[in-house]
Amino acid sequence: MSVPPPQHPQYPQYPQEPPTPPYGAGPQWNPMPMAPPALNAFAVTSLVTALLVCLAPLGLVFGLVALWQIPRKGQRGKGLAIAGVSVSGAVLVLAAGLATVADFRVWTLPARDDNGAVTQPGWAPVQSLDVGDCFTPGAWMRERDTPPLGKGGVQVIPCDETHRAEAYATFRLAEQEEFPGREAIAEVAWQRCAELFVDYSVDPEGSGTLQTYYFRPDEVGWDAGRRTVLCWAARPGDAELDGSVRRDESDFDTDQLAFLSAAKPMYVVTAQRPAKSPEQDLAGAKAWAERMATAQAETIQRLEETELAGVERPTERLVAELKTGLPLWRKAADASDADAFLKSLRSVNRHDGAEHVERIRTALGLPASANQR
């Protein structure tokens, strides 16, 4: 007799509806969903304030408070608190790093009178400087390739107060589509600023030892159409100025102005002496020597054509010395190497007529030259 296979119970498939309770059964307890834990307010505030540099310290504090409260109160927001602490710390570290390289100032613009002269000191962008402004720049002032015109700020100061520098001229570079590069700008600016200074200070020797500098356009400014160079003067090293170096023709009498006009060609080219030594740039040194020869010849001619009352004799001696030195300049311009150039230059220096210049200046009532102070 065959035995039927065992029948296995059919297990219900989940999920399924719960059985309907019989009539009269006791109450059925349907559990309500539990409310989520409260969100910690300090955690939210920490993340919000962390994104603001000025409130980042509070963001850090709020985040730490939140991390202390959350496990004790059973609240949510641990991730927000950790994010707030992390972002606050990063912002504070970044701000500390920037503080070491940036100059954070609340710029108070200088006060000016109706003529534009500065009457009260203040801070201003470099590009806002006017010709005649006296100012104190930053630590970058001593480089030949000075900073771009659009970068940085300076303290603008009344010229009768102690300051470091004075803006004396601006000029626009030749128009061309492509940015010429810093070196090309330097070659133009170095010579042009030296020439313009003699127009600004008719007696440059009377202002003491000065060096000319400039602010230049950068590539971004060039592409935006800004092609201006700003020339300024300062004493070498850390020496300061206690007044303006501006001198115009109205500051001199007829004989003084005649002598300064005769000496101007030499003043201009002397100030354009190349920054590189003959060993570094012999061609540049020789070109400068050629310009010096031309300028000295022009000064000689002007002195011979000028009648300076009371200083005829020292003027004749000065002309004689300059004539002796003239062929030595031309010899320097033809030098075959740096040694030959420097040898000619030393010979020129023995015939610069400096002692006769000082006699003329004293007799005419001009201050002593810078190299005699």
Side-chain angles (χ1 to χ4, degrees):
M1 182 175 70
S2 62
V3 179
Q7 298 296 315
H8 298 285
Q10 297 297 315
Y11 292 98
Q13 301 298 313
Y14 292 95
Q16 69 179 24
E17 294 293 330
T20 302
Y23 180 78
Q28 300 297 307
W29 297 100
N30 294 319
M32 298 296 292
M34 295 182 61
L39 182 62
N40 186 278
F42 279 107
V44 177
T45 307
S46 172
L47 184 58
V48 173
T49 55
L51 300 175
L52 304 174
V53 176
C54 58
L55 298 180
L58 289 177
L60 182 61
V61 173
F62 291 152
L64 294 175
V65 171
L67 290 175
W68 181 82
Q69 288 184 347
I70 286 171
R72 287 165 175 77
K73 295 185 176 182
Q75 294 177 321
R76 293 182 297 124
K78 182 177 180 181
L80 295 176
I82 292 174
V85 170
S86 301
V87 174
S88 295
V91 170
L92 291 174
V93 170
L94 179 61
L98 288 175
T100 62
V101 297
D103 187 9
F104 295 102
R105 291 191 182 95
V106 177
W107 279 359
T108 302
L109 295 177
R112 298 179 182 271
D113 61 20
D114 294 339
N115 297 321
V118 176
T119 57
Q120 294 291 333
W123 291 93
V126 168
Q127 63 266 31
S128 71
L129 286 173
D130 292 333
V131 171
D133 281 352
C134 297
F135 62 96
T136 294
W140 32 256
M141 70 176 290
R142 299 308 174 197
E143 299 178 9
R144 183 186 186 206
D145 183 18
T146 49
L149 187 63
K151 295 184 178 180
V154 296
Q155 185 183 22
V156 186
I157 304 169
C159 288
D160 57 359
E161 298 181 15
T162 301
H163 56 277
R164 296 287 297 279
E166 184 170 346
Y168 65 86
T170 62
F171 68 92
R172 189 172 176 84
L173 294 165
E175 294 293 338
Q176 61 183 71
E177 183 176 351
E178 297 294 329
F179 178 65
R182 290 180 297 176
E183 286 299 320
I185 291 176
E187 291 302 320
V188 175
W190 195 250
Q191 295 188 21
R192 182 69 175 139
C193 284
E195 179 181 354
L196 291 172
F197 182 68
V198 182
D199 294 330
Y200 184 81
S201 182
V202 175
D203 183 20
E205 288 289 329
S207 298
T209 302
L210 293 168
Q211 176 63 62
T212 59
Y213 300 88
Y214 59 91
F215 293 119
R216 58 173 174 81
D218 59 8
E219 188 167 2
V220 174
W222 188 274
D223 292 339
R226 296 190 291 272
R227 313 291 170 87
T228 299
V229 172
L230 173 67
C231 305
W232 51 283
R235 297 208 187 282
D238 296 325
E240 296 181 322
L241 295 165
D242 55 8
S244 175
V245 299
R246 187 199 295 265
R247 301 288 186 275
D248 57 38
E249 294 185 357
S250 63
D251 295 323
F252 305 95
D253 63 32
T254 303
D255 287 339
Q256 291 173 337
L257 195 58
F259 173 71
L260 295 174
S261 177
K264 181 178 178 179
M266 288 185 60
Y267 284 153
V268 171
V269 183
T270 298
Q272 295 173 343
R273 182 169 181 161
K276 294 181 179 180
S277 67
E279 291 87 350
Q280 296 172 311
D281 183 12
L282 180 60
K286 291 170 62 175
W288 173 68
E290 183 64 40
R291 294 198 304 273
M292 278 298 303
T294 301
Q296 190 153 311
E298 185 176 354
T299 292
I300 290 171
Q301 181 179 353
R302 291 188 181 188
L303 287 172
E304 289 180 329
E305 294 174 351
T306 301
E307 295 184 4
L308 299 174
V311 290
E312 293 86 356
R313 184 60 176 166
T315 301
E316 291 174 1
R317 291 182 176 179
L318 173 59
V319 169
E321 283 289 343
L322 295 179
K323 285 183 175 180
T324 302
L326 187 56
L328 299 174
W329 277 117
R330 296 195 173 110
K331 186 175 181 180
D334 293 331
S336 58
D337 54 43
D339 289 338
F341 179 89
L342 293 172
K343 182 178 179 180
S344 297
L345 196 61
R346 287 191 291 269
S347 299
V348 166
N349 291 337
R350 290 195 291 268
H351 298 283
D352 59 4
E355 68 276 17
H356 305 306
V357 170
E358 292 310 312
R359 291 193 185 98
I360 295 171
R361 293 183 66 88
T362 300
L364 294 178
L366 293 169
S369 298
N371 58 6
Q372 298 294 318
R373 298 181 184 182

